[in-house]
Amino acid sequence: MSVQTRVMVDGRWTTRNLDIHEILARNREERQDMPEASVVVKPPVVGLWTRTVVRSPVIKAIVPARVRHRSKNDVVFVYEDRIIIKEILGGERIEQDPFSDISLDDVIVKSDFDSSIQAAKILGLKRKSKASRFPGKYWGAANDRPPSPPETKPEPFHENEVPPQILVLSLTSRMLVFLFAYHDTFGAVHFLSNTWPLPAQMSTVEELGVHLAVDPRSRAMAVGACENRVVLYALKGMDEIRQEVQIAGQLNKNQFMPIREERHTEVDGIILKMEFLHPTEGEDYRVILLLVVAKDQKTRLVRFEWDCRSGLRSVEKKPAQVLPHAEQFPLLLIPLTYESSFALVCEDQLVVYKGILTGSAVGQRCQLGHAEPPEEAGGSKILPIWTQWARPMRIEERSRPIMDNIYLCREDGVVRYIDIRKDANPMISSNYNAGVLQANLGSAFAVLDLGDESNDLLVAAGEMGDGGMWYFAPRQTLDLVGSIRNWTPLESMVTVATPPPPSNEVSMRETSTFESTTRLFACSGQGSRYGAVTEIRVGTEAVKLGPDIDLGELAHNGVVNMWALPDRSNAGIYLMVAHPTDTELILLPSSSDEDPRAISEHEVFDLDVKSIAAGSTAEGFLIQVTETSINAIAQEHGILPFSSKFDGTIITNACFLTIPARTTALLFVMRREDGFYLHHGHFGLQDGQIAFELLGESTPLQSEVSAVAMDWIDGQVVAFIGTLAGTVQNYIDDSGSSFVPDHVYYFNNESSICDSLATIKFEQTDDECSDSHLLVCGLRDGTVQSLFFNRDKSRHSGLGLCEELHIGTTSVMVISDATRESRALLVCGQALYTLKYSGIPSTTNPAVVTKVWLTDPGLSGFQQRPLDCFTQASARIPHGYSQYGAGSLFCLSGSILLLADLSSSPEPAMVPRHLRVNGTPTSITYSGALDRIMLIYTTTTSQPHGRLRKAAAQPAISFIRPDAEFPRSNSNDQDKLKNVLSAADMDPEEYIIGGMDWFPTDGIKSYHMIVVWTRNEPSANRKIGGRLLLFTPSMNNAGEVELTLKRSMAREGPLSSVIAYSDSSLIYGCGDDLVLQTLDMSTRKFGSAFKASLRSPVSQLSVQETDLHVSTLSSGHHIFRIEKDRLVPKFAGASARAGTRHLCRPESLVITSDLECRIAGLWQPPQPQLDRTAPTMFEAVLPRSVTSLCQIERPVWQNKFPAVIGSCDDGTIYELIVLKEHIWKLLAFIQNMVMREPSICPCPHPIVFERHLEPSSTKYQDMHIDGDILARFIERGGASLLAEMLHRSPDPRKKYADYATADDRSQRFQAIARAVFPDYTIGCSDISDIRKATLDQEM
């Protein structure tokens, strides 16, 4: 008797007919081979936490829109899963060049959609170009300039106001989201949104929402699928929406819904394009929807029309019109603004159609052609195509019934400007090349509103490279005024360890919380323009302003402190530099062409002694406080200066404060023979002279002072005094006379001495927290303590510890941010950080500490230098300065002064550092022996050849120092990219797949070799195959790495991955085979190859002791046991996942990723199992596929814990943490509740409400914890929201997904929480510290 079964033969499952007795005999043999009886071991229960560390920079659309307020000039950046509202700022510093400082500053981010955004459009009133505030940059003589517009009063600004426009988004979760932003009473910006569910899909390929169109007058909206279906919506007017939502000065979210009516319509064919056309003059009630539909190898124009007064019941489908063959696949559909005309953009022509309402539309054609050759060769075999269009906003609405102007952008950066006129013949009266944007362009392209009458600001996001902003004026070249970062595609990550600290600093360095011990590099970009090795850095960006300034001898004798004071007479900056024994005054001119100038003598300022403090006042006074004097000058003619010297006393500390509705106050400490005394006074103007008045009596102090700070709190001046006794004491201004001591705070020990103090505020979240202050103390031992400043109803105050942070090993200098009152700046260990708090004050609300990364717009590989001292320009610096603005940073590194503009972004962001390469990088690895990054890349050259192009690819290898700064004209040789391969090393049509270090040894001596593996394309004379190339590296006198080819070994299949094993063995994937070969060190020859067959090629190899882990392209993950002469199958994943990558972890855990966007955990049982499968412990489905996994020690975005990170091609980086069962159960319970909370998840998936709150570990798909959702939970309520959700009565409609009563739910949660927090009770704020609990108890 025989049966058909599947057996494994040489590692491959095969169907065979076997006798039943043979099967039983084989089973007996396998049991005898096993050392012990096979016992099914239950895997441990673990979960997976994922959190987005870096979000993708890929921008899908750029939409100019006033969705916040009619007076705000905003633009919306639409990403894959979030939107950012940015405000156009700048253009006011430099009268000669008003566009040189234009910037797009982040206003607010919304990322709680929990699904991907498919399309975005704007509803509401049309934008009107605002009055110009940018004086003409490119105008000629003054007589040629247009007359200035009449002055108008600024529009009144009201909080809780519905803006003139609303943003609508279509999501992949079959939701429409309507939203706008508004300002609350405190000026904070919030979103108000609501959702509308789309109909259920009729097929898996339908993708309803991929097309989205809005009527030009916002009377209707259409949502289209890929094929066969369109959903029409009648919309409410903005006045009606405003009346429903804006009630008694408040916004009612429940009434916010622009949709009035819905109707489904069938369309026969694939929908290529969909837009609403403008109605003809006099037919304002008419709504016209135009679709371009393809079916049966023909493309048709399909039109729907209806009367908006009658609603959607009057929708009428008009006869279709077949397009000519040359226009079958239009790239763009552009509605023109007159007579319901429209334009179709094809590969090489633009066709303007008119008359579609009266019969068949008639088209006029204009050849676009490809007169301009491709700007970037790349690897494409066809010429670049047109990707997007935009209409300039400067054209007045009254001009558009007779003319239309549009920009067309091509994917290689070419931009054309087209003028279409109604009565002209031909209609396209102007069609010329506007320039090249030097970027790879996609669909994110727009023209922003500058209020200029003839000039435009173009903004475009790059595809696989940076984008930017370009100023365009008629008959001028495009002028780049800003960049938009992009680091995609992100591939082949590698970690580089930072140099170890000196031995005497090791113990201190280990306590540092924010000192990263690992640097992360990856391949990014494509082509010779944007291919790069990118260092992944997370923090706050500070963009350099102008070139470096070498102070030379001006920075001698060591710098103790420095201050930046505005020079209003010359639009420059006075930099006052304090040395241990004297002061240097340096004038930084307004123009970067002029050199800084030292002022050796000054008529008022005392430069012969050490300065203690300096500052400026609202009246324009410049003040200097030295050890022996107080000096002040006015920057207006006719006002006499002030100077006062103190004999027999020394001023040790001083600080300034601007009191609301009053003048500038000065607080200073004087040392006399009998002790230290606190004084304060204020500056004013009296009889044409600056006056300084001391207030009240001096206040004696008990200890020597180390730091002082002052703030205006609850209508009083409060002083904070740090002492050498290890204390901080606050003093209250007693009715403007003298300071009265109020409260003393003692640090941990007497050695904790405070060297600097600064006050910040919590970001406003509600009325109760609108005036919460924190005192940030920089201590001498490298720590920072943030202290609460609390006041009771009787106005008694106190200081209490909020948080202690270990920043570094040296004294921490702290100052308040001049531009953001909720942020402080820290300097420690020659590095600069920002510190801020957000949310409701509590002991568990952690500070957000990010490192500040200086970047150079002209040098993408700029490597930040150690900082010796820094200061920040005052917020009072007026407009009109060339390169200095309010809040600018002045950083001193040695004798080099760096000026930088600190980012206003509220959250830490990616600050990439690009080392540009002349090609497309494909693989990267780090050679510790050479201290170089080994980069494998491909250079491509091509020329147009008819419709095709001839392209030639040449592989290259370069070695790069991690701290290199190329390209730079004056760089040395070792900072230049050099291909170390010779032409003889590579065969034609051969490509390098990867490379690595290899150290074979004979037991006595080891040899350093570079292993490179390749694949070649098949040709008439050869089959597809590959080679193993062995090189010996060396270093020449110039510090350059050179490679010498020692051996070339051809293989029958392409090589996909190579790994070293044991002393002198290599394991590699060759086609569908896994090969083990050993190098005989005595004969220098490789022995016989031992093979194991797989079902698909290898994608990644790794070795863990004697286990070989193999990820494949289509057959999942396999584990082999490495024996002397063979590879024995040991375990395999239960699922055949495609394109897997893996990372081996302790506790027999392997984390894998695949091309289906899944992250899975496989467990390797301690004993062999009969089925030889590795059980799946958890599985997380992410929005995108993770293509690389690695472990990084102590990353800068978290505390002192190591992390597993995964990167995606679109630039997203995830953090992965494996959770123990009791931690997972607690977080899963919270997550199940939070996902039903509209304030946290406003766009939930329907399956959320079908899942019970009780965590279940029966399905590995339920073991995923979404850290992004829990992060929102902490930010938007935390412990208080948790208590509210636990005590909320169950919804009777969801009784099968919840507990019977709120008490049952609370008791169950408390039992689960006590497994993590033994003393937990509901309402305890400790539960908000989810991240700390997760990391402390990580598996």
Side-chain angles (χ1 to χ4, degrees):
M1 178 180 177
S2 64
V3 295
Q4 190 178 72
T5 184
R6 293 180 62 82
V7 296
M8 181 173 285
V9 179
D10 295 331
R12 186 192 297 265
W13 288 101
T14 307
T15 302
R16 294 280 182 84
N17 290 322
L18 296 178
D19 185 79
I20 187 65
H21 299 289
E22 182 182 354
I23 296 175
L24 295 176
R26 287 193 177 189
N27 288 340
R28 285 192 294 268
E29 290 175 2
E30 291 182 359
R31 291 193 183 98
Q32 291 173 1
D33 291 340
M34 292 182 182
E36 297 180 6
S38 177
V39 178
V40 177
V41 181
K42 187 177 180 181
V45 178
V46 295
L48 181 70
W49 161 297
T50 65
R51 185 175 70 98
T52 306
V53 176
V54 176
R55 294 190 179 272
S56 171
V58 177
I59 301 173
K60 303 185 70 171
I62 298 176
V63 186
R66 297 185 188 270
V67 293
R68 181 167 50 122
H69 192 270
R70 60 180 179 271
S71 65
K72 298 296 182 180
N73 192 16
D74 292 339
V75 57
V76 181
F77 279 47
V78 181
Y79 294 80
E80 181 73 21
D81 55 2
R82 73 191 190 281
I83 62 170
I84 301 179
I85 296 181
K86 296 174 179 281
E87 184 176 9
I88 306 173
L89 297 176
E92 297 179 349
R93 289 187 188 171
I94 318 164
E95 294 182 358
Q96 299 85 1
D97 192 2
F99 296 93
S100 65
D101 67 332
I102 287 179
S103 63
L104 295 176
D105 285 10
D106 291 356
V107 176
I108 188 172
V109 180
K110 185 173 180 63
S111 58
D112 55 4
F113 301 110
D114 296 326
S115 61
S116 298
I117 300 172
Q118 297 187 100
K121 291 291 182 181
I122 289 295
L123 308 179
L125 305 176
K126 294 181 180 179
R127 289 168 58 98
K128 294 183 179 179
S129 183
K130 62 187 182 61
S132 176
R133 60 182 178 86
F134 301 94
K137 171 185 178 183
Y138 291 101
W139 292 105
N143 295 334
D144 297 332
R145 301 181 182 181
S148 302
E151 294 186 1
T152 57
K153 295 182 180 180
E155 296 183 66
F157 189 83
H158 302 286
E159 65 271 5
N160 298 325
E161 182 177 315
V162 177
Q165 293 182 322
I166 295 172
L167 182 67
V168 56
L169 307 172
S170 63
L171 307 181
T172 55
S173 58
R174 302 199 307 274
M175 285 280 186
L176 289 177
V177 180
F178 299 90
L179 58 90
F180 63 85
Y182 66 95
H183 290 261
D184 64 12
T185 307
F186 303 103
V189 183
H190 307 276
F191 276 110
L192 189 145
S193 64
N194 208 344
T195 60
W196 182 278
L198 289 173
Q201 290 191 173
M202 305 298 293
S203 67
T204 57
V205 298
E206 187 180 64
E207 295 187 31
L208 186 62
V210 70
H211 296 289
L212 182 63
V214 175
D215 174 62
R217 302 187 181 182
S218 296
R219 301 163 299 177
M221 180 177 67
V223 178
C226 289
E227 58 182 22
N228 300 335
R229 189 152 63 135
V230 173
V231 183
L232 304 177
Y233 296 93
L235 302 178
K236 303 173 184 177
M238 287 302 299
D239 291 338
E240 183 179 354
I241 294 173
R242 191 172 288 108
Q243 292 176 2
E244 293 177 350
V245 178
Q246 196 170 316
I247 302 174
Q250 300 296 323
L251 299 178
N252 187 351
K253 175 183 177 181
N254 296 329
Q255 298 297 324
F256 174 50
M257 178 46 62
I259 292 178
R260 186 192 306 276
E261 186 182 357
E262 176 182 317
R263 176 176 173 174
H264 299 204
T265 303
E266 298 296 326
V267 176
D268 188 15
I270 299 173
I271 302 174
L272 301 180
K273 301 293 176 183
M274 182 177 73
E275 291 286 354
F276 282 90
L277 301 183
H278 289 257
T280 57
E281 189 174 356
E283 295 184 340
D284 296 341
Y285 56 86
R286 199 171 189 176
V287 180
I288 310 157
L289 176 65
L290 180 66
L291 294 87
V292 181
V293 181
K295 186 181 181 182
D296 297 335
Q297 299 182 355
K298 291 184 179 181
T299 302
R300 297 171 175 83
L301 296 176
V302 179
R303 188 172 87 255
F304 293 89
E305 293 185 20
W306 67 93
D307 189 328
C308 65
R309 299 170 296 183
S310 303
L312 298 179
R313 65 178 181 271
S314 62
V315 173
E316 182 181 357
K317 184 177 181 180
K318 299 296 182 178
Q321 176 179 342
V322 178
L323 289 174
H325 183 270
E327 302 162 22
Q328 279 193 341
F329 298 101
L331 302 173
L332 301 171
L333 169 61
I334 306 174
L336 302 180
T337 54
Y338 53 83
E339 293 187 349
S340 302
S341 302
F342 61 94
L344 295 179
V345 179
C346 303
E347 290 187 10
D348 54 5
Q349 66 178 350
L350 181 143
V351 187
V352 177
Y353 280 94
K354 65 178 181 178
I356 193 172
L357 301 183
T358 59
S360 297
V362 179
Q364 290 190 14
R365 290 159 181 81
C366 172
Q367 294 297 320
L368 296 175
H370 286 84
E372 307 85 10
E375 291 294 322
E376 175 63 35
S380 175
K381 295 183 179 180
I382 62 173
L383 293 170
I385 62 174
W386 305 99
T387 59
Q388 188 57 284
W389 68 279
R391 180 176 284 120
M393 302 193 63
R394 56 181 167 78
I395 305 298
E396 293 292 337
E397 194 67 30
R398 65 177 183 273
S399 302
R400 286 193 173 142
I402 61 172
M403 63 175 292
D404 213 335
N405 305 82
I406 59 173
Y407 284 96
L408 286 181
C409 71
R410 206 169 68 181
E411 59 183 343
D412 61 341
V414 173
V415 176
R416 298 193 71 85
Y417 183 79
I418 300 175
D419 186 1
I420 305 174
R421 296 182 181 271
K422 173 182 176 181
D423 300 325
N425 189 15
M427 296 176 62
I428 301 175
S429 59
S430 179
N431 174 17
Y432 66 91
N433 184 10
V436 181
L437 298 187
Q438 298 297 322
N440 302 320
L441 303 184
S443 59
F445 173 77
V447 180
L448 303 187
D449 181 13
L450 292 180
D452 205 308
E453 297 185 12
S454 64
N455 308 324
D456 296 317
L457 183 65
L458 311 183
V459 58
E463 293 280 327
M464 295 182 289
D466 289 352
M469 294 183 294
W470 291 265
Y471 184 79
F472 178 61
R475 297 173 296 279
Q476 299 284 343
T477 58
L478 290 165
D479 186 7
L480 179 66
V481 296
S483 62
I484 300 174
R485 293 290 183 81
N486 192 338
W487 51 90
T488 61
L490 198 62
E491 299 176 345
S492 188
M493 289 193 304
V494 66
T495 58
V496 177
T498 55
S503 57
N504 60 342
E505 295 183 9
V506 172
S507 59
M508 299 180 67
R509 183 72 61 89
E510 289 176 351
T511 63
S512 176
T513 305
F514 303 98
E515 185 84 15
S516 176
T517 60
T518 310
R519 298 168 69 183
L520 191 62
F521 292 83
C523 297
S524 70
Q526 188 177 57
S528 60
R529 183 185 298 162
Y530 287 115
V533 173
T534 297
E535 182 176 5
I536 297 172
R537 307 181 302 186
V538 177
T540 302
E541 183 177 15
V543 181
K544 284 182 58 183
L545 302 173
D548 298 347
I549 300 175
D550 190 354
L551 298 181
E553 295 297 327
L554 302 181
H556 69 287
N557 295 335
V559 176
V560 178
N561 208 336
M562 62 183 185
W563 303 269
L565 309 175
D567 174 22
R568 293 187 177 181
S569 60
N570 299 306
I573 288 289
Y574 285 117
L575 190 66
M576 188 171 289
V577 181
H579 300 291
T581 58
D582 62 356
T583 298
E584 198 86 51
L585 186 63
I586 304 171
L587 176 61
L588 303 178
S590 59
S591 174
S592 58
D593 297 333
E594 303 180 41
D595 295 329
R597 178 168 55 90
I599 300 176
S600 57
E601 295 183 1
H602 196 275
E603 59 183 3
V604 177
F605 292 152
D606 189 353
L607 306 180
D608 295 328
V609 294
K610 171 185 172 183
S611 291
I612 303 300
S616 61
T617 70
E619 299 86 356
F621 303 162
L622 303 184
I623 306 171
Q624 178 202 28
V625 179
T626 71
E627 293 180 330
T628 58
S629 64
I630 299 176
N631 311 298
I633 63 171
Q635 299 194 71
E636 296 182 10
H637 296 291
I639 300 179
L640 299 178
F642 168 82
S643 183
S644 176
K645 295 188 178 293
F646 303 92
D647 297 329
T649 61
I650 295 178
I651 300 177
T652 60
N653 306 85
C655 65
F656 299 95
L657 173 67
T658 299
I659 302 174
R662 292 168 63 182
T663 57
T664 298
L666 171 64
L667 176 75
F668 60 100
V669 176
M670 300 190 78
R671 184 177 66 193
R672 303 175 185 170
E673 294 182 356
D674 58 343
F676 293 84
Y677 292 85
L678 183 65
H679 298 261
H680 76 294
H682 65 82
F683 290 89
L685 187 62
Q686 184 176 358
D687 298 331
Q689 182 177 4
I690 300 175
F692 177 69
E693 178 184 0
L694 284 171
L695 301 177
E697 300 293 331
S698 60
T699 303
L701 303 174
Q702 301 300 319
S703 303
E704 184 174 351
V705 177
S706 58
V708 296
M710 185 168 45
D711 204 349
W712 179 262
I713 303 176
D714 294 340
Q716 277 188 316
V717 176
V718 181
F720 301 94
I721 308 297
T723 69
L724 294 181
T727 64
V728 169
Q729 186 169 7
N730 65 289
Y731 290 75
I732 306 298
D733 183 7
D734 184 15
S735 301
S737 56
S738 299
F739 277 108
V740 177
D742 193 18
H743 181 80
V744 180
Y745 175 83
Y746 296 89
F747 292 110
N748 301 337
N749 50 68
E750 293 184 359
S751 62
S752 298
I753 298 173
C754 178
D755 279 342
S756 59
L757 294 168
T759 58
I760 63 174
K761 289 183 179 181
F762 277 99
E763 289 194 341
Q764 298 167 345
T765 56
D766 53 38
D767 295 352
E768 298 179 356
C769 307
S770 61
D771 202 21
S772 299
H773 289 74
L774 280 176
L775 180 66
V776 182
C777 310
L779 304 186
R780 192 167 294 180
D781 60 0
T783 62
V784 166
Q785 288 194 19
S786 55
L787 309 179
F788 287 112
F789 180 74
N790 300 316
R791 308 189 76 168
D792 56 24
K793 295 181 180 180
S794 59
R795 301 183 70 80
H796 293 293
S797 59
L799 293 170
L801 179 64
C802 174
E803 187 176 11
E804 181 175 3
L805 303 169
H806 298 274
I807 304 298
T809 60
T810 59
S811 179
V812 182
M813 176 183 176
V814 181
I815 66 171
S816 301
D817 191 336
T819 58
R820 296 191 65 185
E821 61 182 6
S822 62
R823 185 167 69 179
L825 304 179
L826 320 175
V827 169
C828 180
Q830 298 184 320
L832 179 63
Y833 303 88
T834 64
L835 179 148
K836 66 181 285 290
Y837 284 85
S838 60
I840 301 174
S842 68
T843 57
T844 58
N845 181 29
V848 179
V849 178
T850 60
K851 188 171 183 178
V852 175
W853 299 101
L854 268 65
T855 60
D856 189 340
L859 182 62
S860 60
F862 176 77
Q863 178 64 20
Q864 184 161 317
R865 305 177 181 91
L867 302 181
D868 299 318
C869 188
F870 93 105
T871 189
Q872 188 181 27
S874 169
R876 298 192 190 92
I877 288 188
H879 295 300
Y881 281 71
S882 59
Q883 50 185 322
Y884 318 112
S888 296
L889 297 179
F890 294 77
C891 305
L892 191 63
S893 177
S895 63
I896 303 299
L897 181 67
L898 309 174
L899 280 67
D901 187 14
L902 188 62
S903 170
S904 61
S905 177
E907 299 296 334
M910 173 79 159
V911 188
R913 172 175 163 258
H914 295 305
L915 300 174
R916 300 294 183 191
V917 300
N918 185 29
T920 299
T922 58
S923 179
I924 187 176
T925 187
Y926 175 68
S927 173
L930 300 174
D931 189 25
R932 296 290 190 276
I933 294 172
M934 184 172 73
L935 172 68
I936 297 171
Y937 60 105
T938 302
T939 60
T940 305
T941 58
S942 67
Q943 295 179 351
H945 183 69
R947 295 264 335 142
L948 303 178
R949 65 169 73 179
K950 291 182 178 180
Q954 179 65 38
I957 297 179
S958 293
F959 289 86
I960 305 170
R961 293 187 307 108
D963 292 334
E965 287 191 338
F966 63 90
R968 173 180 278 181
S969 58
N970 59 349
S971 62
N972 54 38
D973 291 339
Q974 60 183 357
D975 279 350
K976 294 180 180 178
L977 195 64
K978 178 182 177 181
N979 181 13
V980 298
L981 290 180
S982 65
D985 292 338
M986 302 301 298
D987 294 337
E989 298 294 325
E990 186 177 24
Y991 301 94
I992 300 176
I993 304 302
M996 70 172 188
D997 276 334
W998 186 34
F999 298 92
T1001 178
D1002 56 8
I1004 300 175
K1005 182 180 179 181
S1006 63
Y1007 303 86
H1008 183 198
M1009 303 194 76
I1010 300 293
V1011 180
V1012 173
W1013 53 97
T1014 72
R1015 63 168 291 165
N1016 60 264
E1017 294 297 327
S1019 63
N1021 300 324
R1022 67 179 178 185
K1023 298 180 180 179
I1024 186 171
R1027 291 194 299 164
L1028 269 179
L1029 305 178
L1030 303 182
F1031 296 89
T1032 56
S1034 60
M1035 197 82 69
N1036 62 21
N1037 295 333
E1040 298 174 336
V1041 176
E1042 296 180 345
L1043 296 183
T1044 303
L1045 181 62
K1046 289 298 184 180
R1047 180 167 299 181
S1048 172
M1049 298 183 294
R1051 292 295 179 261
E1052 295 179 354
L1055 301 180
S1056 52
S1057 182
V1058 179
I1059 192 74
Y1061 173 70
S1062 186
D1063 293 338
S1064 56
S1065 297
L1066 290 177
I1067 303 174
Y1068 55 89
C1070 180
D1072 291 347
D1073 294 330
L1074 196 59
V1075 183
L1076 167 64
Q1077 274 193 287
T1078 301
L1079 177 64
D1080 188 337
M1081 298 301 295
S1082 60
T1083 62
R1084 300 294 193 268
K1085 293 183 180 181
F1086 278 92
S1088 301
F1090 301 99
K1091 297 182 179 180
S1093 297
L1094 300 171
R1095 286 181 289 171
S1096 65
V1098 174
S1099 59
Q1100 184 187 357
L1101 297 173
S1102 67
V1103 173
Q1104 191 177 39
E1105 297 180 351
T1106 60
D1107 288 343
L1108 174 66
H1109 291 262
V1110 183
S1111 289
T1112 64
L1113 292 181
S1114 61
S1115 59
H1117 187 79
H1118 300 265
I1119 304 174
F1120 290 81
R1121 184 174 67 252
I1122 306 174
E1123 296 185 354
K1124 183 178 181 181
D1125 57 353
R1126 60 175 181 163
L1127 300 171
V1128 181
K1130 188 176 180 181
F1131 293 103
S1135 301
R1137 303 175 186 270
T1140 56
R1141 311 290 292 180
H1142 70 267
L1143 178 70
C1144 297
R1145 296 277 293 160
E1147 304 291 337
S1148 302
L1149 175 65
V1150 182
I1151 299 177
T1152 68
S1153 66
D1154 59 40
L1155 296 181
E1156 296 177 354
C1157 307
R1158 295 178 297 183
I1159 298 287
L1162 305 181
W1163 180 64
Q1164 184 177 339
Q1167 299 176 359
Q1169 303 294 298
L1170 290 176
D1171 57 1
R1172 292 181 179 174
T1173 59
T1176 302
M1177 305 170 70
F1178 52 75
E1179 182 179 274
V1181 180
L1182 302 178
R1184 51 192 61 84
S1185 176
V1186 173
T1187 56
S1188 182
L1189 291 165
C1190 71
Q1191 179 158 326
I1192 182 170
E1193 298 295 329
R1194 200 179 300 171
V1196 295
W1197 56 78
Q1198 66 172 31
N1199 294 340
K1200 59 186 179 181
F1201 304 93
V1204 174
I1205 62 171
S1207 67
C1208 309
D1209 284 343
D1210 69 349
T1212 302
I1213 297 179
Y1214 291 103
E1215 177 186 37
L1216 314 176
I1217 299 177
V1218 180
L1219 307 174
K1220 292 183 177 179
E1221 181 179 8
H1222 60 293
I1223 293 286
W1224 165 81
K1225 188 172 290 187
L1226 170 63
L1227 299 182
F1229 200 114
I1230 298 175
Q1231 178 176 263
N1232 291 342
M1233 289 192 297
V1234 166
M1235 291 179 70
R1236 306 181 187 188
E1237 184 63 30
S1239 63
I1240 309 298
C1241 298
C1243 308
H1245 195 277
I1247 196 173
V1248 170
F1249 301 102
E1250 300 174 3
R1251 182 184 303 164
H1252 198 278
L1253 292 181
E1254 177 69 25
S1256 173
S1257 59
T1258 56
K1259 296 181 179 180
Y1260 57 77
Q1261 295 91 343
D1262 295 337
M1263 305 303 293
H1264 175 217
I1265 301 298
D1266 191 333
D1268 294 333
I1269 292 178
L1270 296 187
R1272 296 202 300 263
F1273 154 70
I1274 295 175
E1275 293 171 0
R1276 302 179 186 181
S1280 60
L1281 178 59
L1282 177 62
E1284 178 187 342
M1285 291 188 298
L1286 288 173
H1287 292 101
R1288 188 179 299 161
S1289 300
D1291 189 339
R1293 298 171 297 177
K1294 306 167 186 174
K1295 60 181 179 180
Y1296 297 107
D1298 200 350
Y1299 294 90
T1301 65
D1303 290 340
D1304 294 341
R1305 186 196 307 126
S1306 301
Q1307 292 175 9
R1308 178 56 181 157
F1309 177 79
Q1310 187 159 297
I1312 294 175
R1314 284 181 175 173
V1316 181
F1317 302 96
D1319 300 328
Y1320 173 76
T1321 56
I1322 294 177
C1324 175
S1325 61
D1326 288 343
I1327 200 67
S1328 293
D1329 204 0
I1330 292 176
R1331 179 167 176 77
K1332 182 176 183 301
T1334 302
L1335 292 171
D1336 284 341
Q1337 305 192 46
E1338 180 186 359
M1339 180 176 176

